[in-house]
Amino acid sequence: MSTVSSTPRTKTGITPATPTTTRVAGSHVLQASPHYTTTRRHSLYGTEDRVVIDPGSRIWKVGFSGEGKPRDVFYADAKNYGSLWSWNRATDPTEKAEQDNMLEINLERCMRSVFHESLLAEPKARKVILVEHPLMPLYIKDMLAHILFSNLQVPSISFASSHLLSLLSVGRITGLVLDCGHLESTALPIFAARPLFPQLRTTPLAGSRFSSHIRALLLLFGSYLPPPTTLSAAVNVPAANRTTRVPQEILTDAVIEDIKTRCCFVSDALESSLGDVRASSPAGDDPSDHEPPPSSDPAMSESEFSRGSLGQESAAESEFSIISHLTHSTSSGEASNEKHIQVLANMYMRHSTATNLHMRVVPPVSQQTGTGRGTLIIPGWVRERAAEVLFEGGDVDESSVAEVILDALLKVPLDLRKTMASSILITGGTAMLPGFIPRLHTELLRATAPLNILSTRSRPTYDRYASLRPLVPHFAILNNPTPVPSSSARANVNAGKAPAFTPATMAWVGGSLAGALKTGGVEVAREKWDESDPSQTDQDDDVIMVVPASERIPRNVIPDWTRGLLPAGAPPAVALKPLPSPQAVGA
């Protein structure tokens, strides 16, 4: 007779018991969740955790405080992969009002998506930590606060600097943080958890310029295989006979973003190996194929080359390309521009070991015959050297990412330079390119090297970084994946010792840490926001006046470091009239 096996029981003598909880009226003691071993209530069982929002111009990162990574990361414009805002604001009142209204609509859509789709949380019961860029326009911060307070009715908002939060995520309170984002790259020194905003330095060489540079290189040096007109042509016609120039219609923002995030990487500088290349090259080779053009050449630089297609937010909507720009320059007598770019291309081809990639893309409307997709051929040297535009300096208005760090070091006090130079942190989405951080460390050493070492490039007579040359042994990047041994003990201790957070999420992780510790930036309560509403002063409580976004005045409760008091001894904003001399008074 078979017996039914019973469920295993506990050992004899041990009586399992469920701990009982005495419910006290009005008690504020948080009880432990049965599914977590800690005594801290999780966000699923309580509302103590704050909502951390990192609103970027293209990518948003959202989640709860106390967690190690965001709950959701999404594009603000999921269809076109474009930016919600830019630094160029319209000057015409009508166009400006329309632009602000569209921006407010998109921001409200993203904010509602954060609470109702990504986090599934009630906004009325959640405090918010807003990660803000130091140079974020005040009208955008006012829009974000207006949406969170007036529409979603959150209890409070804490504004925290993204650079400071990034530094907190690696366990530091002092250092120099470089944020390589989409619109610009910004370097900000931080001492004792206090951002030194007057020493902030920025450059437009960032992800947006990198994307436009990739588009310009593909238009010039890329290849495209259109889909065959018939199925028999796909077998009979060789692929070499169907290769054409890359049409602008296929280089959409989504395709460029895919190429930038999946195909590109950063390689070492070429100047270190030029001597070996000249020694091993045949005597009949053209030396112009190996040596880069001098910096004093009036030809178009890589930054100017990519700027030709910078305004092409959508390749299908653009009327002119870099190709037409070069053609116009050649016809006007400036043939050296195209020669300069071709010399760079030949040099990169000879030194590149990357392979060409074939990428399936949607063909233009005129080529959609139902026989498949087109093929975009990406040269290997373009994948490897497209990021050179970020390290090309020498321009007053467009410094390289290495020069931005050095310019910030020149502005800090002398007794802080060694500390800042040995605690450099690189954050931002552009910094996630493979090889970006080691190449940046190399560029820092090259920019501060003595004049006799760089024999391949002509240097100006004025060396503005000569005072930083004693700091060369102390340069250390906290999140460098391949730190270089140095003669400085301080640099060896700091280099590569940061936690392995991705550079793009460091600001959010710092906000999560600040929320878990109940700290953060300036907190603005909803009651304080309602009291500062200028439209409710002379109106009844039953009357609600809707003010357009373009006519809304930013409220003084929003923290803004640009409106701080002037330091002692600073000149007044309005020039004072000089007092008359005694001779003039006596006359």
Side-chain angles (χ1 to χ4, degrees):
M1 184 175 181
S2 62
T3 59
V4 180
S5 60
S6 60
T7 304
R9 302 295 181 182
T10 58
K11 295 181 179 181
T12 58
I14 301 178
T15 304
T18 303
T20 58
T21 302
T22 304
R23 190 178 299 274
V24 181
S27 175
H28 62 278
V29 179
L30 297 180
Q31 303 297 333
S33 169
H35 296 282
Y36 294 89
T37 58
T38 61
T39 58
R40 175 181 165 273
R41 177 176 290 181
H42 193 262
S43 60
L44 184 62
Y45 298 90
T47 58
E48 293 295 326
D49 296 333
R50 302 187 182 187
V51 174
V52 183
I53 303 177
D54 185 2
S57 60
R58 295 181 69 249
I59 299 178
W60 286 39
K61 295 169 281 291
V62 297
F64 294 106
S65 62
E67 299 181 351
K69 61 181 180 179
R71 288 285 185 95
D72 192 14
V73 179
F74 61 91
Y75 285 91
D77 187 2
K79 295 182 179 180
N80 302 322
Y81 292 86
S83 301
L84 287 184
W85 64 80
S86 63
W87 302 137
N88 298 326
R89 197 179 183 187
T91 56
D92 183 66
T94 304
E95 185 179 357
K96 179 180 177 181
E98 182 180 358
Q99 183 179 1
D100 292 347
N101 291 335
M102 289 301 301
L103 177 59
E104 188 173 16
I105 292 174
N106 292 328
L107 290 177
E108 182 178 355
R109 172 182 53 82
C110 293
M111 281 296 179
R112 292 189 178 275
S113 175
V114 168
F115 287 95
H116 300 155
E117 297 179 12
S118 300
L119 303 181
L120 300 178
E122 175 62 31
K124 295 182 180 179
R126 296 284 185 174
K127 294 183 178 181
V128 175
I129 296 179
L130 198 63
V131 181
E132 62 167 349
H133 192 275
L135 296 180
M136 178 181 288
L138 187 59
Y139 76 96
I140 296 180
K141 292 200 296 185
D142 181 77
M143 286 183 185
L144 293 173
H146 177 76
I147 293 171
L148 290 173
F149 281 130
S150 302
N151 296 350
L152 299 176
Q153 299 181 0
V154 299
S156 66
I157 304 176
S158 298
F159 295 89
S161 173
S162 60
H163 291 70
L164 177 58
L165 295 180
S166 300
L167 200 60
L168 292 178
S169 66
V170 298
R172 305 295 180 105
I173 60 174
T174 299
L176 178 61
V177 183
L178 174 66
D179 184 6
C180 298
H182 178 67
L183 296 179
E184 62 183 352
S185 299
T186 307
L188 177 64
I190 298 175
F191 179 73
R194 291 172 175 82
L196 306 180
F197 290 113
Q199 280 75 37
L200 182 143
R201 289 296 175 267
T202 182
T203 177
L205 298 183
S208 178
R209 179 62 60 84
F210 182 42
S211 300
S212 63
H213 192 59
I214 294 176
R215 177 181 282 112
L217 289 176
L218 291 177
L219 289 175
L220 279 178
F221 303 104
S223 303
Y224 174 69
L225 292 177
T229 55
T230 60
L231 295 179
S232 60
V235 180
N236 300 328
V237 180
N241 296 340
R242 294 189 291 114
T243 304
T244 61
R245 299 288 294 268
V246 178
Q248 297 187 19
E249 291 81 1
I250 68 172
L251 296 181
T252 60
D253 289 340
V255 173
I256 295 298
E257 181 70 15
D258 198 13
I259 295 174
K260 182 173 65 174
T261 55
R262 297 177 56 188
C263 304
C264 294
F265 62 97
V266 182
S267 185
D268 297 332
L270 291 180
E271 282 74 7
S272 59
S273 60
L274 279 180
D276 300 336
V277 171
R278 294 194 194 97
S280 61
S281 62
D285 288 353
D286 187 4
S288 61
D289 293 343
H290 302 288
E291 298 182 1
S295 58
S296 58
D297 188 7
M300 179 186 297
S301 62
E302 283 197 60
S303 180
E304 296 173 347
F305 166 63
S306 62
R307 202 181 302 129
S309 60
L310 182 59
Q312 303 173 2
E313 292 295 331
S314 177
E317 299 177 359
S318 59
E319 300 179 358
F320 303 98
S321 66
I322 189 67
I323 299 177
S324 62
H325 174 73
L326 289 178
T327 305
H328 176 71
S329 299
T330 304
S331 60
S332 62
E334 298 181 0
S336 59
N337 291 342
E338 188 172 0
K339 181 181 178 181
H340 173 87
I341 298 174
Q342 191 62 41
V343 167
L344 287 176
N346 294 337
M347 181 182 64
Y348 292 152
M349 288 179 190
R350 291 178 177 271
H351 296 83
S352 177
T353 57
T355 58
N356 299 345
L357 291 184
H358 294 245
M359 182 178 180
R360 296 288 183 177
V361 293
V362 178
V365 180
S366 59
Q367 298 179 358
Q368 295 180 2
T369 57
T371 56
R373 293 192 172 190
T375 303
L376 175 64
I377 303 177
I378 308 172
W381 70 269
V382 172
R383 299 169 47 222
E384 183 179 359
R385 296 297 173 180
E388 294 293 326
V389 66
L390 302 177
F391 303 101
E392 184 190 37
D395 196 339
V396 177
D397 298 327
E398 296 184 356
S399 302
S400 67
V401 289
E403 291 177 348
V404 167
I405 296 178
L406 298 177
D407 291 340
L409 287 175
L410 288 175
K411 287 295 180 179
V412 299
L414 293 177
D415 53 348
L416 293 181
R417 288 184 179 180
K418 183 183 296 185
T419 304
M420 296 294 177
S422 59
S423 303
I424 302 175
L425 182 65
I426 311 300
T427 66
T430 307
M432 294 184 64
L433 286 171
F436 180 87
I437 296 179
R439 174 64 185 277
L440 179 59
H441 184 265
T442 304
E443 292 294 329
L444 290 175
L445 300 180
R446 291 178 60 244
T448 55
L451 299 179
N452 55 357
I453 294 181
L454 299 178
S455 59
T456 59
R457 280 191 179 182
S458 60
R459 296 285 297 237
T461 56
Y462 171 67
D463 189 6
R464 55 175 176 172
Y465 301 128
S467 59
L468 299 178
R469 197 159 295 142
L471 299 177
V472 170
H474 304 283
F475 280 125
I477 300 179
L478 298 177
N479 55 341
N480 190 352
T482 57
V484 180
S486 175
S487 59
S488 173
R490 183 196 297 263
N492 293 329
V493 170
N494 294 339
K497 297 303 189 294
F501 295 116
T502 57
T505 60
M506 280 187 175
W508 188 94
V509 171
S512 175
L513 178 63
L517 299 176
K518 300 298 184 292
T519 60
V522 180
E523 185 174 2
V524 180
R526 188 171 58 178
E527 293 79 8
K528 190 175 181 180
W529 172 268
D530 295 337
E531 292 174 358
S532 63
D533 188 2
S535 61
Q536 301 294 334
T537 55
D538 299 332
Q539 299 179 11
D540 298 334
D541 296 338
D542 298 335
V543 180
I544 300 178
M545 182 178 182
V546 179
V547 181
S550 59
E551 300 179 2
R552 193 178 301 132
I553 302 176
R555 309 188 188 183
N556 295 328
V557 295
I558 299 178
D560 183 26
W561 65 271
T562 60
R563 296 184 301 191
L565 299 176
L566 292 176
V574 181
L576 301 177
K577 295 183 179 180
L579 297 177
S581 60
Q583 293 80 3
V585 174

